[in-house]
Amino acid sequence: MRVIILLLLLAGLSFGTAASSLVVQKQKFTLDSYTTENGQTITPVNIGWEAYGKLNADKSNVILITHYFSGSSHAAGKYHKDDAAAGYWDAIIGPGKAIDTNKFYVISSDTLVNANVFDKNVITTGPATANPATGKPYGLAFPVVTIGDFVEVQKALLDSLGINKLYAVIGPSMGSFQAIEWAVRYPERVQRLVPVIGGAFMDAYGAVKLERWAYPIKTDPAWHNGDYYDKGQPIQGLTTALAYITQDAVHPMGFNQRYPSPVNDKNAMQDIRASLSAWEQLMQHAKVRATYQDANHILYLVRASQLWRAGMADNWQQAVAGIKAKTLFLPASGDLLLPPAFSQHSADAMKKAGNTPQYAEIPGNWGHLDGLVNIQSVAPLIETFLNQP
C-alpha cells in the first residue's frame, strides 16, 4: 500500500509502534458486465479485495471498509510478514483493536478506476485497462463513474459472498462518501455508519479545489487528450497533480514541520527561475507516487468526487433523511480539504429527519491526513460505538 506509506514517510510519521499480527491475501472479484449510472456497460469489471477476521455462521458480523481517494483495499495487516508497513488503518483494525477482528469479519475492496493501477497489489478496471473491443486501453472511452458505481460494484461482491447485512460501513475521505451512499441506498442492510473526514455532499468550492488536481494533467501536452498509453504517462502533469493532492491533504502546521522554509532559499533572491526547496521536495515525493499511479485514473476519481452528493440526485438532504443506521461522524479538526463543516451539515440534515448521529473530531497537526495517521486517537470512540447494542 505504497501511496499512504509514502505520505506517512514524507510526513515523518509511522503506522504505530506495534507490528501487525495480520497476514492477508489479496483476492480478485469479476463481474461479467456492469452498467454504470450514466447507462454505459463495462465488460468485464475486475476489482481486488481482502478480508480480516472470520465470517460467522449467519454472516452478521461483517464490517465494510471503504477507502480514500488515493488508497486501496489494503486497510490493515501485511501481504508478507516482512513488508515495510501495514495497511493504512492497521492501528484500529486487528485482534483486540477498535475494529476487533476477533469479533468482526472486516472486508475492503479496491474501487473502480483505482489510482494505483500499476501497483502489483491493486486490481481494478479503469481507463488504463484494455478494452476487449479494441485490445487497447480504454482511455477516455471509459465511462464516467460515480461514488454510486463504486458502491454497486461492492454490493455485487458482497452478494457473491452471500452477505446481505452489514454490521457497519466505515471509511475515510472518499471512503466516507461511499459509506454514506451505502446507508442511503440500502438502509435495511446497514446497521452502523462511520463517515471519517467527509460528509454527504461536495459543494462548489470543494469541487473547484479538486479541479486544481485535474488541471496540470489536462494541460500537459503529453496527456494527448487521454490517449497516451503507447507514448508514456504525462509525467509532469501527473507529478504536479500529486504534489497538489499531498499539500491539500496536510494542514499548514504539519506541512511546515516537514518542508523547509523559504528563508533558506538564497537562490530565490537572485534568480526568478530558481525553485523553492519545499516545492522541489514535494515534487520529488510526488514523482515516486507517479510511477504506479495513472493520470486518467486520477481524473476519473476527481470527477467522481466532484459529482458526489448522497443519493446521487438533486437533494442530498432528502437522501440522508432515509438513513436508518446508527451514525458516528468523525471529521478532523484541522481539515482544510473537507472541513468539519461538511460533517456538521450532514449530521444536521440527519437530525432534522429524526436520526441523531454522534459527532466527534479527530485532533492533530496534519489536517485531512489526521483521519489516517491519527485515527488511533479516536479508537476508543469507535470501539464504544461498535459495541453499543
Side-chain angles (χ1 to χ4, degrees):
M1 181 44 212
R2 290 179 291 181
V3 178
I4 189 58
I5 292 171
L6 180 68
L7 278 174
L8 297 185
L9 290 177
L10 69 88
L13 301 173
S14 67
F15 284 90
T17 55
S20 172
S21 58
L22 295 172
V23 176
V24 299
Q25 181 180 4
K26 194 65 174 275
Q27 302 185 64
K28 180 180 179 180
F29 171 67
T30 299
L31 271 175
D32 291 338
S33 67
Y34 173 73
T35 300
T36 64
E37 293 202 324
N38 65 8
Q40 299 185 58
T41 299
I42 311 167
T43 306
V45 164
N46 294 306
I47 60 167
W49 66 282
E50 56 196 79
Y52 330 102
K54 185 177 180 180
L55 187 62
N56 62 11
D58 62 0
K59 301 182 179 181
S60 62
N61 68 332
V62 180
I63 293 179
L64 176 67
I65 304 294
T66 48
H67 71 71
Y68 57 98
F69 185 96
S70 57
S72 75
S73 65
H74 197 39
K78 297 181 177 183
Y79 295 124
H80 306 283
K81 62 180 181 180
D82 57 349
D83 285 351
Y88 64 89
W89 264 359
D90 193 73
I92 59 169
I93 300 173
K97 298 179 182 179
I99 304 174
D100 191 350
T101 53
N102 290 327
K103 299 178 182 178
F104 302 115
Y105 182 69
V106 183
I107 188 168
S108 181
S109 67
D110 299 328
T111 60
L112 286 171
V113 299
N114 190 282
N116 312 289
V117 66
F118 303 121
D119 185 328
K120 66 178 181 179
N121 291 315
V122 168
I123 303 169
T124 188
T125 297
T129 305
N131 182 346
T134 65
K136 298 179 180 180
Y138 280 99
L140 300 194
F142 197 80
V144 172
V145 290
T146 68
I147 299 299
D149 288 315
F150 299 167
V151 167
E152 291 302 325
V153 173
Q154 291 161 2
K155 177 179 177 294
L157 166 62
L158 295 178
D159 288 347
S160 75
L161 299 172
I163 297 169
N164 55 28
K165 183 79 74 174
L166 292 171
Y167 189 89
V169 185
I170 307 173
S173 192
M174 190 184 78
S176 77
F177 305 166
Q178 297 166 66
I180 291 169
E181 188 65 11
W182 259 102
V184 166
R185 291 188 179 217
Y186 303 105
E188 302 298 335
R189 294 181 70 155
V190 178
Q191 296 173 294
R192 293 166 185 80
L193 168 65
V194 186
V196 179
I197 51 173
F201 66 101
M202 181 66 69
D203 63 8
Y205 182 87
V208 171
K209 194 168 191 176
L210 295 188
E211 191 64 29
R212 190 170 68 97
W213 301 357
Y215 188 77
I217 294 172
K218 292 177 178 178
T219 55
D220 187 336
W223 181 55
H224 294 292
N225 205 32
D227 184 19
Y228 54 79
Y229 291 103
D230 60 347
K231 306 174 186 71
Q233 292 278 336
I235 196 65
Q236 184 63 33
L238 175 59
T239 303
T240 303
L242 295 175
Y244 288 158
I245 291 170
T246 299
Q247 184 184 24
D248 286 348
V250 179
H251 190 276
M253 187 178 296
F255 191 89
N256 292 334
Q257 288 175 18
R258 176 60 184 86
Y259 292 98
S261 167
V263 73
N264 299 316
D265 289 307
K266 304 305 181 185
N267 289 341
M269 180 70 77
Q270 307 299 327
D271 187 349
I272 198 69
R273 295 166 297 185
S275 292
L276 299 177
S277 299
W279 175 251
E280 288 296 326
Q281 288 187 25
L282 187 62
M283 286 290 281
Q284 282 300 118
H285 294 140
K287 195 171 292 184
V288 175
R289 294 173 64 190
T291 61
Y292 50 91
Q293 296 194 354
D294 178 76
N296 282 339
H297 281 231
I298 294 293
L299 295 181
Y300 276 70
L301 289 173
V302 164
R303 183 51 49 85
S305 299
Q306 289 173 321
L307 295 175
W308 162 241
R309 67 271 183 195
M312 297 308 300
D314 294 334
N315 191 326
W316 67 264
Q317 295 95 332
Q318 186 177 61
V320 299
I323 293 176
K324 296 183 178 181
K326 296 177 181 178
T327 303
L328 170 63
F329 281 98
L330 290 172
S333 296
D335 193 344
L336 301 179
L337 179 60
L338 297 175
F342 276 88
S343 296
Q344 292 167 354
H345 293 327
S346 304
D348 288 345
M350 291 178 65
K351 286 178 185 176
K352 289 180 180 178
N355 183 347
T356 302
Q358 298 178 44
Y359 177 97
E361 294 187 5
I362 304 168
N365 296 331
W366 296 95
H368 191 68
L369 200 57
D370 276 319
L372 302 177
V373 303
N374 202 25
I375 192 65
Q376 68 275 9
S377 68
V378 291
L381 291 174
I382 296 171
E383 182 176 10
T384 298
F385 177 77
L386 291 178
N387 288 327
Q388 288 176 347

